[in-house]
Amino acid sequence: MKKIENNFAVTGFVGKDAEIRQFANASVARFSLTVSRLEKNGEESNRVSAFMNFEAWRKNENAGSFDQLTKGTMLTVEGYFKPEEWSDNAGVKHNRIVMVAVKFYPTVEKKPPRNLLRRGRKKARNNLLPYMNKAA
């Protein structure tokens, strides 16, 4: 049987400064990331954006990493999906999927090999496409 993995990696810009709450032994940061992709429809191109919500937990002594979660910062976030279920006061059951950020770090832009930059513009651009499409 094939093992199903529950993880993700996504890159985007922090939508607004993280909301941080401290508890006795741990802290949680809730933040959003703006992600986008280019959709093409014939000759027309359109950039579609969305906000994704995350939460990250750290022991209080390690909560300093939350300083990176400021509006406009480009980050790569790695984590897993956590299902939550609860019942409200009326007994109605609710559920949601929480994206838990295990790691987040500034996105490193890959530089293509220098020899590709020296070639003709169109030829170089075609050779750069594999580098531009790889995940960071």
Side-chain angles (χ1 to χ4, degrees):
M1 176 194 265
K2 186 174 183 173
K3 181 180 174 183
I4 298 173
E5 295 198 27
N6 174 4
N7 55 36
F8 65 84
V10 63
T11 299
F13 293 95
V14 177
K16 63 179 183 176
D17 292 352
E19 175 189 312
I20 300 170
R21 297 180 73 195
Q22 289 188 322
F23 302 101
N25 297 319
S27 296
V28 62
R30 291 188 172 91
F31 64 99
S32 62
L33 211 62
T34 304
V35 296
S36 65
R37 64 188 212 77
L38 196 60
E39 288 186 355
K40 292 186 178 182
N41 187 4
E43 294 289 319
E44 191 175 311
S45 296
N46 189 25
R47 182 156 299 278
V48 178
S49 298
F51 284 95
M52 299 175 74
N53 295 311
F54 299 89
E55 69 178 33
W57 290 85
R58 300 287 185 270
K59 291 184 178 180
N60 284 336
E61 60 268 13
N62 298 329
S65 64
F66 291 160
D67 293 344
Q68 298 178 67
L69 302 175
T70 57
K71 182 178 180 174
T73 304
M74 186 178 197
L75 293 177
T76 297
V77 179
E78 296 179 20
Y80 64 93
F81 302 100
K82 179 178 81 172
E84 289 186 347
E85 294 181 355
W86 71 96
S87 296
D88 62 18
N89 293 337
V92 177
K93 291 186 178 183
H94 300 273
N95 61 53
R96 69 178 179 166
I97 302 295
V98 177
M99 293 189 294
V100 179
V102 175
K103 288 198 254 180
F104 49 88
Y105 45 89
T107 303
V108 178
E109 292 186 38
K110 291 186 176 182
K111 292 184 180 180
R114 292 186 71 182
N115 63 339
L116 290 179
L117 295 175
R118 293 185 192 140
R119 296 183 186 169
R121 187 174 187 172
K122 186 173 183 177
K123 189 173 184 180
R125 186 176 150 262
N126 289 338
N127 289 328
L128 287 175
L129 289 177
Y131 294 98
M132 298 164 90
N133 292 327
K134 286 185 181 176

